[in-house]
Amino acid sequence: MKIKKLLCLGLLGTTALTGCATGIGDSWYKTDTEKALLYWTVGDFNSAIQSAYHALQDNPKDPYALMVSGYSYDALGYPNQSRRYYEDLLRSEATEKGIFFAVKNMQPEPLKKAAAIRLEMQEMKNRPYTEVLPDTNLNKFNDYALNQHVTTQNGDRVTLAKSEMKGGLDMLTEADRNVVDRFLIFTRLRDEKYVTKEEWENRRTVNLGGLLPYSLTPAGLGLDLPSPGGDVIIQRLNQLRYALEMRAITPREHATEREIILEALLPSNPSKRMMPTPPPQDVLEGATALRRIETLQRVGLITPKEAESEKKAIEKLIYAKLGMSEGGEANPSAAKCIRSCLAEPAPKCPAAKPAVKKKVKKKAKAKPVVNACSCPAATTETNDKK
């Protein structure tokens, strides 16, 4: 079928290929390479392959025919065939440049570079960053993502399994570090405009229990698992964006993989959640929990109001553990001593000497038990039998 409207194609390179006609392939002066380019331009990929095939019969190293063959097989869903033409182009000595896609402000680039990018995008599709946990149907980062390499400013290739965290976060357990690390990475994605403010607010809200376990609902299941470093995730998102601009992937493929990466980092609507965090077992664990909250506030992951609510929840748990609570509130006589223990890092208390069993007289009162940090536990009043 002839195309009625005028079609013009300009290809920038060492040789300018320009063809204008009222129909495709019906003019005697077009070469097979020009026909292949024109067919590919209007989306007739089968005809483009046929014309490129004839061009390669005359010149097996024709860079434009190789590129059109690779692109056309890609568009038809035959990546193995397209790979062959990209690899042939990379092995050639071609220096031609061209623009194959109508992308705003896109400059002509070497065809060999474009072929290398297409091969990289094919590998990216074959090696996704995430996999689905069969028992929970949630996404998690796989080993391939955790062992990705990035290039530092010094040109060194390093593996960033996770971000470096300093400033008091080294006191956290491995699982807790993983949760905090995910929030730190997502704040970086927000600040560098890889995610919107709305995406950050939504995902933060539903997973904030990972940072504030004693005052909020637990975070999504799997947040305590390792994640790739921020540099690795940003590198992947940049690859996806460039692949979309080059039309190596469709907008739907781009949106799908981007969403999967963000879901694996911080799920937006977790169907399953982590187990609740056990309460502090003693005053020392309570002090550690409070220092953790102060650290999270310093790095900007939680607000002062959120920190205050979490601190109150921790204090109540300590009071209850020590038997000092009255109707959910701290016993006033004991609260002052407990707060002083929790306010500052407390040294480890020496182990208490085992109590020696002695015969107690009938009317003798039991001695109060002395707890860590010189804070007395609540005494239980005994009503003497009349």
Side-chain angles (χ1 to χ4, degrees), residues 122-149:
Q122 285 185 352
E123 182 63 23
M124 187 177 72
K125 289 183 181 181
N126 295 332
R127 301 297 297 271
Y129 263 31
T130 63
E131 60 187 40
V132 179
L133 297 171
D135 53 337
T136 61
N137 202 32
L138 299 176
N139 293 300
K140 79 175 186 68
F141 291 105
N142 55 28
D143 292 338
Y144 176 71
L146 294 175
N147 291 286
Q148 284 298 291
H149 293 77

PDB file of all heavy atoms in Angstrom, residues 122-149:
ATOM      1  N   GLN A 122      19.090  -5.343  26.654  1.00  0.00           N
ATOM      2  CA  GLN A 122      18.620  -6.729  26.586  1.00  0.00           C
ATOM      3  C   GLN A 122      19.058  -7.502  27.820  1.00  0.00           C
ATOM      4  O   GLN A 122      18.288  -8.278  28.390  1.00  0.00           O
ATOM      5  CB  GLN A 122      19.158  -7.404  25.326  1.00  0.00           C
ATOM      6  CG  GLN A 122      18.478  -6.975  24.045  1.00  0.00           C
ATOM      7  CD  GLN A 122      18.960  -7.766  22.849  1.00  0.00           C
ATOM      8  OE1 GLN A 122      19.913  -8.541  22.928  1.00  0.00           O
ATOM      9  NE2 GLN A 122      18.298  -7.581  21.718  1.00  0.00           N
ATOM     10  N   GLU A 123      20.291  -7.264  28.246  1.00  0.00           N
ATOM     11  CA  GLU A 123      20.777  -7.947  29.448  1.00  0.00           C
ATOM     12  C   GLU A 123      20.016  -7.469  30.671  1.00  0.00           C
ATOM     13  O   GLU A 123      19.734  -8.241  31.587  1.00  0.00           O
ATOM     14  CB  GLU A 123      22.276  -7.677  29.621  1.00  0.00           C
ATOM     15  CG  GLU A 123      22.912  -8.365  30.813  1.00  0.00           C
ATOM     16  CD  GLU A 123      22.860  -9.879  30.713  1.00  0.00           C
ATOM     17  OE1 GLU A 123      22.738 -10.416  29.591  1.00  0.00           O
ATOM     18  OE2 GLU A 123      22.950 -10.540  31.767  1.00  0.00           O
ATOM     19  N   MET A 124      19.672  -6.201  30.691  1.00  0.00           N
ATOM     20  CA  MET A 124      18.923  -5.646  31.811  1.00  0.00           C
ATOM     21  C   MET A 124      17.560  -6.314  31.939  1.00  0.00           C
ATOM     22  O   MET A 124      17.081  -6.579  33.044  1.00  0.00           O
ATOM     23  CB  MET A 124      18.756  -4.142  31.602  1.00  0.00           C
ATOM     24  CG  MET A 124      18.130  -3.414  32.783  1.00  0.00           C
ATOM     25  SD  MET A 124      18.037  -1.634  32.508  1.00  0.00           S
ATOM     26  CE  MET A 124      16.747  -1.555  31.269  1.00  0.00           C
ATOM     27  N   LYS A 125      16.924  -6.599  30.795  1.00  0.00           N
ATOM     28  CA  LYS A 125      15.629  -7.284  30.832  1.00  0.00           C
ATOM     29  C   LYS A 125      15.777  -8.714  31.330  1.00  0.00           C
ATOM     30  O   LYS A 125      14.916  -9.247  32.030  1.00  0.00           O
ATOM     31  CB  LYS A 125      15.004  -7.293  29.438  1.00  0.00           C
ATOM     32  CG  LYS A 125      14.501  -5.953  28.955  1.00  0.00           C
ATOM     33  CD  LYS A 125      13.845  -6.110  27.590  1.00  0.00           C
ATOM     34  CE  LYS A 125      13.347  -4.782  27.057  1.00  0.00           C
ATOM     35  NZ  LYS A 125      12.685  -4.938  25.743  1.00  0.00           N
ATOM     36  N   ASN A 126      16.901  -9.359  30.954  1.00  0.00           N
ATOM     37  CA  ASN A 126      17.113 -10.757  31.341  1.00  0.00           C
ATOM     38  C   ASN A 126      17.524 -10.899  32.796  1.00  0.00           C
ATOM     39  O   ASN A 126      17.427 -11.987  33.359  1.00  0.00           O
ATOM     40  CB  ASN A 126      18.181 -11.391  30.445  1.00  0.00           C
ATOM     41  CG  ASN A 126      17.740 -11.485  28.998  1.00  0.00           C
ATOM     42  OD1 ASN A 126      16.550 -11.580  28.718  1.00  0.00           O
ATOM     43  ND2 ASN A 126      18.697 -11.449  28.080  1.00  0.00           N
ATOM     44  N   ARG A 127      18.034  -9.816  33.397  1.00  0.00           N
ATOM     45  CA  ARG A 127      18.511  -9.886  34.775  1.00  0.00           C
ATOM     46  C   ARG A 127      17.793  -8.839  35.611  1.00  0.00           C
ATOM     47  O   ARG A 127      18.337  -7.779  35.899  1.00  0.00           O
ATOM     48  CB  ARG A 127      20.030  -9.640  34.821  1.00  0.00           C
ATOM     49  CG  ARG A 127      20.861 -10.624  34.013  1.00  0.00           C
ATOM     50  CD  ARG A 127      20.726 -12.056  34.526  1.00  0.00           C
ATOM     51  NE  ARG A 127      21.213 -12.191  35.871  1.00  0.00           N
ATOM     52  CZ  ARG A 127      22.487 -12.476  36.160  1.00  0.00           C
ATOM     53  NH1 ARG A 127      23.360 -12.653  35.189  1.00  0.00           N
ATOM     54  NH2 ARG A 127      22.881 -12.598  37.405  1.00  0.00           N
ATOM     55  N   PRO A 128      16.563  -9.105  36.008  1.00  0.00           N
ATOM     56  CA  PRO A 128      15.833  -8.127  36.830  1.00  0.00           C
ATOM     57  C   PRO A 128      16.466  -7.988  38.206  1.00  0.00           C
ATOM     58  O   PRO A 128      17.204  -8.868  38.667  1.00  0.00           O
ATOM     59  CB  PRO A 128      14.432  -8.735  36.913  1.00  0.00           C
ATOM     60  CG  PRO A 128      14.648 -10.200  36.726  1.00  0.00           C
ATOM     61  CD  PRO A 128      15.790 -10.320  35.760  1.00  0.00           C
ATOM     62  N   TYR A 129      16.177  -6.872  38.858  1.00  0.00           N
ATOM     63  CA  TYR A 129      16.740  -6.587  40.180  1.00  0.00           C
ATOM     64  C   TYR A 129      15.963  -7.255  41.302  1.00  0.00           C
ATOM     65  O   TYR A 129      16.477  -7.401  42.397  1.00  0.00           O
ATOM     66  CB  TYR A 129      16.733  -5.076  40.415  1.00  0.00           C
ATOM     67  CG  TYR A 129      18.040  -4.395  40.122  1.00  0.00           C
ATOM     68  CD1 TYR A 129      18.895  -4.875  39.135  1.00  0.00           C
ATOM     69  CD2 TYR A 129      18.439  -3.268  40.822  1.00  0.00           C
ATOM     70  CE1 TYR A 129      20.083  -4.246  38.852  1.00  0.00           C
ATOM     71  CE2 TYR A 129      19.630  -2.626  40.551  1.00  0.00           C
ATOM     72  CZ  TYR A 129      20.436  -3.122  39.555  1.00  0.00           C
ATOM     73  OH  TYR A 129      21.623  -2.495  39.288  1.00  0.00           O
ATOM     74  N   THR A 130      14.730  -7.606  41.029  1.00  0.00           N
ATOM     75  CA  THR A 130      13.879  -8.105  42.111  1.00  0.00           C
ATOM     76  C   THR A 130      13.269  -9.447  41.751  1.00  0.00           C
ATOM     77  O   THR A 130      13.202  -9.826  40.584  1.00  0.00           O
ATOM     78  CB  THR A 130      12.733  -7.126  42.418  1.00  0.00           C
ATOM     79  OG1 THR A 130      11.905  -7.011  41.261  1.00  0.00           O
ATOM     80  CG2 THR A 130      13.268  -5.762  42.800  1.00  0.00           C
ATOM     81  N   GLU A 131      12.865 -10.147  42.769  1.00  0.00           N
ATOM     82  CA  GLU A 131      12.134 -11.403  42.570  1.00  0.00           C
ATOM     83  C   GLU A 131      10.983 -11.442  43.568  1.00  0.00           C
ATOM     84  O   GLU A 131      10.995 -10.728  44.589  1.00  0.00           O
ATOM     85  CB  GLU A 131      13.058 -12.603  42.755  1.00  0.00           C
ATOM     86  CG  GLU A 131      13.701 -12.688  44.123  1.00  0.00           C
ATOM     87  CD  GLU A 131      14.747 -13.797  44.195  1.00  0.00           C
ATOM     88  OE1 GLU A 131      15.489 -13.968  43.215  1.00  0.00           O
ATOM     89  OE2 GLU A 131      14.819 -14.454  45.246  1.00  0.00           O
ATOM     90  N   VAL A 132       9.997 -12.251  43.294  1.00  0.00           N
ATOM     91  CA  VAL A 132       8.797 -12.312  44.129  1.00  0.00           C
ATOM     92  C   VAL A 132       8.926 -13.465  45.116  1.00  0.00           C
ATOM     93  O   VAL A 132       9.244 -14.593  44.731  1.00  0.00           O
ATOM     94  CB  VAL A 132       7.537 -12.501  43.266  1.00  0.00           C
ATOM     95  CG1 VAL A 132       6.296 -12.598  44.148  1.00  0.00           C
ATOM     96  CG2 VAL A 132       7.397 -11.349  42.284  1.00  0.00           C
ATOM     97  N   LEU A 133       8.696 -13.164  46.380  1.00  0.00           N
ATOM     98  CA  LEU A 133       8.689 -14.205  47.402  1.00  0.00           C
ATOM     99  C   LEU A 133       7.403 -15.013  47.266  1.00  0.00           C
ATOM    100  O   LEU A 133       6.299 -14.446  47.376  1.00  0.00           O
ATOM    101  CB  LEU A 133       8.774 -13.591  48.796  1.00  0.00           C
ATOM    102  CG  LEU A 133      10.060 -12.812  49.111  1.00  0.00           C
ATOM    103  CD1 LEU A 133       9.917 -12.079  50.430  1.00  0.00           C
ATOM    104  CD2 LEU A 133      11.250 -13.753  49.154  1.00  0.00           C
ATOM    105  N   PRO A 134       7.483 -16.315  47.007  1.00  0.00           N
ATOM    106  CA  PRO A 134       6.266 -17.094  46.734  1.00  0.00           C
ATOM    107  C   PRO A 134       5.302 -17.168  47.907  1.00  0.00           C
ATOM    108  O   PRO A 134       4.089 -17.237  47.718  1.00  0.00           O
ATOM    109  CB  PRO A 134       6.817 -18.482  46.374  1.00  0.00           C
ATOM    110  CG  PRO A 134       8.173 -18.533  46.987  1.00  0.00           C
ATOM    111  CD  PRO A 134       8.696 -17.135  46.944  1.00  0.00           C
ATOM    112  N   ASP A 135       5.816 -17.125  49.131  1.00  0.00           N
ATOM    113  CA  ASP A 135       4.926 -17.279  50.285  1.00  0.00           C
ATOM    114  C   ASP A 135       4.198 -15.986  50.647  1.00  0.00           C
ATOM    115  O   ASP A 135       3.142 -16.016  51.277  1.00  0.00           O
ATOM    116  CB  ASP A 135       5.722 -17.777  51.504  1.00  0.00           C
ATOM    117  CG  ASP A 135       6.927 -16.898  51.797  1.00  0.00           C
ATOM    118  OD1 ASP A 135       7.387 -16.215  50.864  1.00  0.00           O
ATOM    119  OD2 ASP A 135       7.392 -16.901  52.952  1.00  0.00           O
ATOM    120  N   THR A 136       4.756 -14.832  50.248  1.00  0.00           N
ATOM    121  CA  THR A 136       4.144 -13.556  50.605  1.00  0.00           C
ATOM    122  C   THR A 136       3.683 -12.757  49.389  1.00  0.00           C
ATOM    123  O   THR A 136       2.945 -11.791  49.537  1.00  0.00           O
ATOM    124  CB  THR A 136       5.135 -12.687  51.391  1.00  0.00           C
ATOM    125  OG1 THR A 136       6.283 -12.420  50.553  1.00  0.00           O
ATOM    126  CG2 THR A 136       5.586 -13.390  52.660  1.00  0.00           C
ATOM    127  N   ASN A 137       4.148 -13.139  48.203  1.00  0.00           N
ATOM    128  CA  ASN A 137       3.831 -12.417  46.966  1.00  0.00           C
ATOM    129  C   ASN A 137       4.360 -10.984  47.001  1.00  0.00           C
ATOM    130  O   ASN A 137       3.833 -10.089  46.341  1.00  0.00           O
ATOM    131  CB  ASN A 137       2.317 -12.403  46.704  1.00  0.00           C
ATOM    132  CG  ASN A 137       2.001 -12.173  45.234  1.00  0.00           C
ATOM    133  OD1 ASN A 137       2.754 -12.587  44.359  1.00  0.00           O
ATOM    134  ND2 ASN A 137       0.902 -11.500  44.956  1.00  0.00           N
ATOM    135  N   LEU A 138       5.420 -10.756  47.784  1.00  0.00           N
ATOM    136  CA  LEU A 138       6.063  -9.451  47.859  1.00  0.00           C
ATOM    137  C   LEU A 138       7.398  -9.493  47.123  1.00  0.00           C
ATOM    138  O   LEU A 138       7.999 -10.551  46.966  1.00  0.00           O
ATOM    139  CB  LEU A 138       6.286  -9.039  49.319  1.00  0.00           C
ATOM    140  CG  LEU A 138       5.027  -8.887  50.176  1.00  0.00           C
ATOM    141  CD1 LEU A 138       5.415  -8.583  51.609  1.00  0.00           C
ATOM    142  CD2 LEU A 138       4.135  -7.780  49.634  1.00  0.00           C
ATOM    143  N   ASN A 139       7.869  -8.320  46.688  1.00  0.00           N
ATOM    144  CA  ASN A 139       9.137  -8.225  45.974  1.00  0.00           C
ATOM    145  C   ASN A 139      10.294  -8.066  46.947  1.00  0.00           C
ATOM    146  O   ASN A 139      10.165  -7.430  47.991  1.00  0.00           O
ATOM    147  CB  ASN A 139       9.124  -7.023  45.027  1.00  0.00           C
ATOM    148  CG  ASN A 139       8.141  -7.192  43.894  1.00  0.00           C
ATOM    149  OD1 ASN A 139       8.255  -8.131  43.125  1.00  0.00           O
ATOM    150  ND2 ASN A 139       7.174  -6.308  43.805  1.00  0.00           N
ATOM    151  N   LYS A 140      11.422  -8.658  46.581  1.00  0.00           N
ATOM    152  CA  LYS A 140      12.657  -8.431  47.332  1.00  0.00           C
ATOM    153  C   LYS A 140      13.805  -8.350  46.330  1.00  0.00           C
ATOM    154  O   LYS A 140      13.730  -8.867  45.221  1.00  0.00           O
ATOM    155  CB  LYS A 140      12.907  -9.535  48.352  1.00  0.00           C
ATOM    156  CG  LYS A 140      13.472 -10.821  47.791  1.00  0.00           C
ATOM    157  CD  LYS A 140      13.784 -11.802  48.899  1.00  0.00           C
ATOM    158  CE  LYS A 140      14.497 -13.044  48.364  1.00  0.00           C
ATOM    159  NZ  LYS A 140      15.843 -12.761  47.879  1.00  0.00           N
ATOM    160  N   PHE A 141      14.876  -7.669  46.721  1.00  0.00           N
ATOM    161  CA  PHE A 141      16.039  -7.575  45.860  1.00  0.00           C
ATOM    162  C   PHE A 141      16.758  -8.929  45.824  1.00  0.00           C
ATOM    163  O   PHE A 141      16.891  -9.597  46.846  1.00  0.00           O
ATOM    164  CB  PHE A 141      16.998  -6.500  46.360  1.00  0.00           C
ATOM    165  CG  PHE A 141      16.457  -5.111  46.205  1.00  0.00           C
ATOM    166  CD1 PHE A 141      15.990  -4.400  47.287  1.00  0.00           C
ATOM    167  CD2 PHE A 141      16.421  -4.513  44.958  1.00  0.00           C
ATOM    168  CE1 PHE A 141      15.491  -3.122  47.144  1.00  0.00           C
ATOM    169  CE2 PHE A 141      15.919  -3.228  44.802  1.00  0.00           C
ATOM    170  CZ  PHE A 141      15.450  -2.543  45.894  1.00  0.00           C
ATOM    171  N   ASN A 142      17.212  -9.306  44.628  1.00  0.00           N
ATOM    172  CA  ASN A 142      17.912 -10.585  44.497  1.00  0.00           C
ATOM    173  C   ASN A 142      19.415 -10.401  44.620  1.00  0.00           C
ATOM    174  O   ASN A 142      19.921  -9.281  44.788  1.00  0.00           O
ATOM    175  CB  ASN A 142      17.548 -11.251  43.160  1.00  0.00           C
ATOM    176  CG  ASN A 142      17.809 -10.331  41.982  1.00  0.00           C
ATOM    177  OD1 ASN A 142      18.674  -9.466  42.033  1.00  0.00           O
ATOM    178  ND2 ASN A 142      17.058 -10.512  40.907  1.00  0.00           N
ATOM    179  N   ASP A 143      20.152 -11.526  44.546  1.00  0.00           N
ATOM    180  CA  ASP A 143      21.611 -11.475  44.695  1.00  0.00           C
ATOM    181  C   ASP A 143      22.258 -10.658  43.589  1.00  0.00           C
ATOM    182  O   ASP A 143      23.281 -10.002  43.797  1.00  0.00           O
ATOM    183  CB  ASP A 143      22.189 -12.893  44.698  1.00  0.00           C
ATOM    184  CG  ASP A 143      21.781 -13.670  45.941  1.00  0.00           C
ATOM    185  OD1 ASP A 143      21.437 -13.017  46.945  1.00  0.00           O
ATOM    186  OD2 ASP A 143      21.802 -14.914  45.902  1.00  0.00           O
ATOM    187  N   TYR A 144      21.673 -10.693  42.394  1.00  0.00           N
ATOM    188  CA  TYR A 144      22.231  -9.925  41.275  1.00  0.00           C
ATOM    189  C   TYR A 144      22.218  -8.432  41.599  1.00  0.00           C
ATOM    190  O   TYR A 144      23.185  -7.714  41.337  1.00  0.00           O
ATOM    191  CB  TYR A 144      21.418 -10.203  40.011  1.00  0.00           C
ATOM    192  CG  TYR A 144      21.833  -9.392  38.808  1.00  0.00           C
ATOM    193  CD1 TYR A 144      23.042  -9.639  38.164  1.00  0.00           C
ATOM    194  CD2 TYR A 144      21.020  -8.375  38.316  1.00  0.00           C
ATOM    195  CE1 TYR A 144      23.430  -8.896  37.062  1.00  0.00           C
ATOM    196  CE2 TYR A 144      21.391  -7.628  37.212  1.00  0.00           C
ATOM    197  CZ  TYR A 144      22.592  -7.885  36.591  1.00  0.00           C
ATOM    198  OH  TYR A 144      22.977  -7.146  35.504  1.00  0.00           O
ATOM    199  N   ALA A 145      21.136  -7.963  42.186  1.00  0.00           N
ATOM    200  CA  ALA A 145      21.039  -6.546  42.536  1.00  0.00           C
ATOM    201  C   ALA A 145      21.981  -6.197  43.680  1.00  0.00           C
ATOM    202  O   ALA A 145      22.598  -5.131  43.687  1.00  0.00           O
ATOM    203  CB  ALA A 145      19.602  -6.200  42.922  1.00  0.00           C
ATOM    204  N   LEU A 146      22.109  -7.095  44.655  1.00  0.00           N
ATOM    205  CA  LEU A 146      22.935  -6.813  45.830  1.00  0.00           C
ATOM    206  C   LEU A 146      24.421  -6.770  45.498  1.00  0.00           C
ATOM    207  O   LEU A 146      25.213  -6.210  46.249  1.00  0.00           O
ATOM    208  CB  LEU A 146      22.685  -7.862  46.916  1.00  0.00           C
ATOM    209  CG  LEU A 146      21.278  -7.855  47.518  1.00  0.00           C
ATOM    210  CD1 LEU A 146      21.129  -9.008  48.496  1.00  0.00           C
ATOM    211  CD2 LEU A 146      20.998  -6.542  48.218  1.00  0.00           C
ATOM    212  N   ASN A 147      24.813  -7.380  44.370  1.00  0.00           N
ATOM    213  CA  ASN A 147      26.232  -7.445  44.023  1.00  0.00           C
ATOM    214  C   ASN A 147      26.574  -6.602  42.798  1.00  0.00           C
ATOM    215  O   ASN A 147      27.588  -6.844  42.147  1.00  0.00           O
ATOM    216  CB  ASN A 147      26.643  -8.898  43.782  1.00  0.00           C
ATOM    217  CG  ASN A 147      26.633  -9.702  45.064  1.00  0.00           C
ATOM    218  OD1 ASN A 147      27.499  -9.564  45.916  1.00  0.00           O
ATOM    219  ND2 ASN A 147      25.620 -10.538  45.231  1.00  0.00           N
ATOM    220  N   GLN A 148      25.720  -5.617  42.495  1.00  0.00           N
ATOM    221  CA  GLN A 148      26.023  -4.726  41.377  1.00  0.00           C
ATOM    222  C   GLN A 148      27.217  -3.843  41.706  1.00  0.00           C
ATOM    223  O   GLN A 148      27.451  -3.474  42.860  1.00  0.00           O
ATOM    224  CB  GLN A 148      24.813  -3.862  41.052  1.00  0.00           C
ATOM    225  CG  GLN A 148      23.722  -4.599  40.311  1.00  0.00           C
ATOM    226  CD  GLN A 148      24.196  -5.102  38.966  1.00  0.00           C
ATOM    227  OE1 GLN A 148      24.445  -4.330  38.068  1.00  0.00           O
ATOM    228  NE2 GLN A 148      24.325  -6.398  38.853  1.00  0.00           N
ATOM    229  N   HIS A 149      27.958  -3.507  40.670  1.00  0.00           N
ATOM    230  CA  HIS A 149      29.131  -2.650  40.828  1.00  0.00           C
ATOM    231  C   HIS A 149      28.830  -1.247  40.319  1.00  0.00           C
ATOM    232  O   HIS A 149      28.050  -1.064  39.393  1.00  0.00           O
ATOM    233  CB  HIS A 149      30.326  -3.216  40.058  1.00  0.00           C
ATOM    234  CG  HIS A 149      30.836  -4.500  40.610  1.00  0.00           C
ATOM    235  ND1 HIS A 149      30.187  -5.708  40.384  1.00  0.00           N
ATOM    236  CD2 HIS A 149      31.898  -4.786  41.396  1.00  0.00           C
ATOM    237  CE1 HIS A 149      30.850  -6.672  40.996  1.00  0.00           C
ATOM    238  NE2 HIS A 149      31.892  -6.146  41.605  1.00  0.00           N
TER     239      HIS A 149
END
